[in-house]
C-alpha cells in the first residue's frame, strides 16, 4: 500500500488535516512529519509521526523510501510576519524545502500538494474580485516564496509531468492549533480572547478587509483538489479559494451576538498592517468552483457559532 506524507504536520493546518486524512485513507497510510513544533497527543497517538527538516534532502528521501510514499501534502513553511522577521530563513524553508520535495517527487514520481496564499498577490493586484490569473508582484518575502512556489510547481508539472496541485489559502480560522507569525492570526486570536477574557486588542486597523476560510473548508478543499479528475484541471496550482471577505469589526460584531460584553480595542502593528494592506480584499474563486467543484460550507455566522462552542469546551 502506498502512503501519504504530510510535512508541517504539527502546524495549524497540518494538525487538522492529518486526522481527516487518517480517517479517510486509514491511519496506517498517513505519515505525519513535524520539525520543531511539538505535536499534540491526538497527532502522536493516532498514527505514525516522525521528525523531519525539509531542508535536508536526504532526510526527505529516506522518509519517502521507508514509508512507500506516493503523495506529499507539503505544509511546512514560515507564515508572512515570521518571514518578514527572518527573510533568509523564510527563503531557506519555503523555497529550499519545496525544491527538495519537488526533486524527490521527480525521482519517485509522487503527487504534491502545495499551499500558496493570498500573500502571493501584491499592491498592484486588483484588490476586489481578484482574478485567478492577474498581476502578481508581491512585496513581502513570504509572498515572493509563495509565488515562486506556484511557478515551480507549475514548472515541475509542465517540464517533468509531476502531479502538482495547490491552493491560494486566505486567512484560515480554527480552534485546535494557533497559527504562528501570520498576518491573519488576529482572526484566530480574537475568538480565544473573546471566550477567555471578553476583550481583545487587535493589531490590524478597523476596515482591513481580507479573505478568510474556516478550517473544515480548508482541509476539505485540499483533499478535494488532490482527488479531482486531472482532465478537468486547467490550472493546477494557486487556485483562489475563499469563503468570506471580512474586517476585524465584522468578526467582532458577530462574536458580540454570542458574548454581548465582549470589547475590542486597536493597537496597530505597522509591519503586519503593511502586509495586510498589500493583499487583496476579496478573491474571485470561480476557477476553483468550475474546475473541481469548490464550495465553502461555512460563512461568518456558522463559523463564529462553532468556534465559540468549541473554545468554550476547551478553555
Ligand atoms: N495566514 C497567512 C499569513 O497571515 C496568509 O497566507 O501569513
Amino acid at each position: 500500500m502506498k502512503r501519504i506524507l504530510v510535512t508541517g504536520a504539527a502546524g495549524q493546518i497540518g494538525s487538522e488535516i492529518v486526522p481527516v486524512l487518517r480517517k479517510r485513507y486509514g491511519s496506517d497510510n498517513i505519515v505525519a512529519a513535524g520539525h520543531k513544533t511539538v505535536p499534540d497527543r491526538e497527532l502522536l497517538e493516532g498514527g505514525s509521526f516522525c521528525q523531519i527538516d525539509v531542508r535536508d534532502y536526504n532526510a526527505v528521501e529516506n522518509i519517502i523510501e521507508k514509508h512507500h510514499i506516493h503523495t506529499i501534502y507539503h505544509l511546512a513553511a514560515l507564515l508572512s510576519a515570521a518571514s518578514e522577521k527572518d527573510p533568509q530563513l523564510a527563503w531557506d524553508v519555503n523555497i529550499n524545502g519545496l525544491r527538495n520535495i519537488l526533486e524527490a517527487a521527480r525521482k519517485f514520481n509522487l503527487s504534491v500538494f502545495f499551499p500558496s496564499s493570498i500573500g502571493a498577490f501584491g499592491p498592484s493586484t486588483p484588490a476586489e474580485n481578484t482574478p485567478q490569473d492577474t498581476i502578481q508582484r508581491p512585496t513581502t518575502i513570504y509572498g515572493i516564496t509563495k509565488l515562486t512556489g506556484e511557478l515551480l510547481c507549475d514548472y515541475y508539472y509542465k517540464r517533468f509531468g509531476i502531479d502538482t496541485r495547490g491552493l491560494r489559502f486566505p486567512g484560515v480560522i480554527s480552534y485546535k492549533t494557533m497559527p504562528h507569525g501570520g498576518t491573519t492570526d488576529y482572526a484566530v486570536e480574537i475568538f480565544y480572547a473573546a471566550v477567555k477574557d471578553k476583550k481583545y486588542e487587535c493589531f490590524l486597523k478597523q476596515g482591513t478587509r481580507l479573505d478568510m476560510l474556516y478550517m473544515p473548508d480548508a482541509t476539505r478543499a485540499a483533499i478535494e483538489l488532490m482527488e479531482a479528475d486531472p482532465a478537468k484541471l486547467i490550472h493546477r496550482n494557486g487556485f483562489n479559494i475563499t469563503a468570506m471577505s471580512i474586517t476585524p469589526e465584522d468578526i467582532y460584531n458577530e462574536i458580540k451576538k454570542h458574548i454581548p460584553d465582549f470589547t475590542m480595542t486597536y493597537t496597530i502593528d505597522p509591519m503586519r498592517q503593511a502586509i495586510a494592506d498589500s493583499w487583496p480584499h476579496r478573491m474571485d474563486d470561480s476557477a476553483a468552483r468550475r474546475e473541481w467543484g469548490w464550495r465553502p460550507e461555512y460563512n461568518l455566522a456558522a463559523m463564529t457559532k462553532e468556534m465559540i462552542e468549541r473554545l468554550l469546551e476547551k478553555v
Side-chain angles (χ1 to χ4, degrees):
M1 182 69 187
K2 296 250 186 175
R3 300 198 174 98
I4 297 174
L5 171 67
V6 181
T7 70
Q12 188 201 8
I13 298 177
S15 66
E16 301 237 22
I17 204 168
V18 167
V20 178
L21 291 169
R22 282 174 177 163
K23 207 167 157 205
R24 192 167 180 82
Y25 303 116
S27 292
D28 292 348
N29 298 317
I30 311 300
V31 179
H35 182 215
K36 284 187 184 152
T37 314
V38 183
D40 63 19
R41 267 185 60 186
E42 185 190 357
L43 215 55
L44 274 180
E45 292 170 5
S48 78
F49 187 92
C50 55
Q51 227 234 350
I52 192 179
D53 182 342
V54 293
R55 294 171 298 175
D56 178 351
Y57 179 76
N58 290 330
V60 171
E61 218 183 273
N62 286 342
I63 285 197
I64 289 167
E65 279 193 304
K66 186 172 161 204
H67 296 283
H68 308 288
I69 299 300
H70 67 89
T71 296
I72 305 179
Y73 284 73
H74 177 48
L75 306 179
L78 265 69
L79 289 179
S80 55
S83 294
E84 225 42 57
K85 282 191 186 133
D86 193 343
Q88 291 75 17
L89 182 66
W91 184 267
D92 203 16
V93 174
N94 293 11
I95 294 298
N96 294 334
L98 174 63
R99 188 205 51 202
N100 286 342
I101 296 293
L102 289 172
E103 272 302 291
R106 185 164 74 90
K107 183 164 175 187
F108 296 98
N109 194 24
L110 315 176
S111 298
V112 175
F113 173 80
F114 171 69
S116 186
S117 158
I118 47 172
F121 296 117
S124 53
T125 302
E128 289 297 335
N129 281 322
T130 306
Q132 175 65 40
D133 301 304
T134 185
I135 299 165
Q136 288 182 269
R137 305 283 295 169
T139 47
T140 64
I141 189 66
Y142 175 71
I144 292 167
T145 67
K146 288 297 179 185
L147 175 55
T148 306
E150 289 181 11
L151 295 173
L152 262 184
C153 288
D154 275 345
Y155 178 77
Y156 271 71
Y157 170 66
K158 290 205 183 89
R159 178 80 169 76
F160 305 117
I162 300 305
D163 179 25
T164 58
R165 307 182 188 196
L167 304 169
R168 289 183 188 128
F169 280 126
V172 179
I173 298 171
S174 63
Y175 56 84
K176 196 168 159 190
T177 308
M178 292 287 270
H180 288 291
T183 299
T184 55
D185 291 8
Y186 92 83
V188 178
E189 290 172 5
I190 190 173
F191 285 99
Y192 279 79
V195 168
K196 261 175 83 179
D197 309 321
K198 295 191 167 41
K199 60 176 195 302
Y200 180 60
E201 196 175 287
C202 187
F203 59 75
L204 293 185
K205 69 178 176 225
Q206 220 166 342
T208 307
R209 179 171 294 282
L210 292 167
D211 284 300
M212 301 278 170
L213 196 59
Y214 189 38
M215 184 62 87
D217 279 334
T219 53
R220 186 173 51 78
I223 294 167
E224 281 179 8
L225 174 61
M226 292 310 282
E227 289 182 353
D229 176 359
K232 295 203 173 122
L233 300 180
I234 298 162
H235 300 84
R236 294 192 70 95
N237 292 287
F239 278 102
N240 289 356
I241 56 162
T242 182
M244 51 199 112
S245 159
I246 50 177
T247 62
E249 62 274 22
D250 289 336
I251 307 183
Y252 168 73
N253 288 329
E254 195 59 40
I255 292 175
K256 271 191 78 91
K257 292 180 188 166
H258 303 265
I259 306 172
D261 51 347
F262 176 46
T263 59
M264 180 160 80
T265 52
Y266 295 87
T267 305
I268 309 311
D269 170 5
M271 199 247 281
R272 285 183 286 189
Q273 185 65 49
I275 295 174
D277 289 343
S278 78
W279 288 354
H281 303 158
R282 187 191 308 268
M283 285 189 288
D284 171 3
D285 60 5
S286 55
R289 288 171 185 261
R290 237 181 358 256
E291 292 177 35
W292 50 275
W294 157 245
R295 286 268 176 297
E297 280 173 6
Y298 286 85
N299 59 16
L300 177 61
M303 175 188 74
T304 301
K305 184 172 175 289
E306 196 170 296
M307 280 292 289
I308 291 172
E309 281 168 10
R310 293 298 156 86
L311 284 173
L312 280 171
E313 289 162 14
K314 200 174 154 175
V315 297

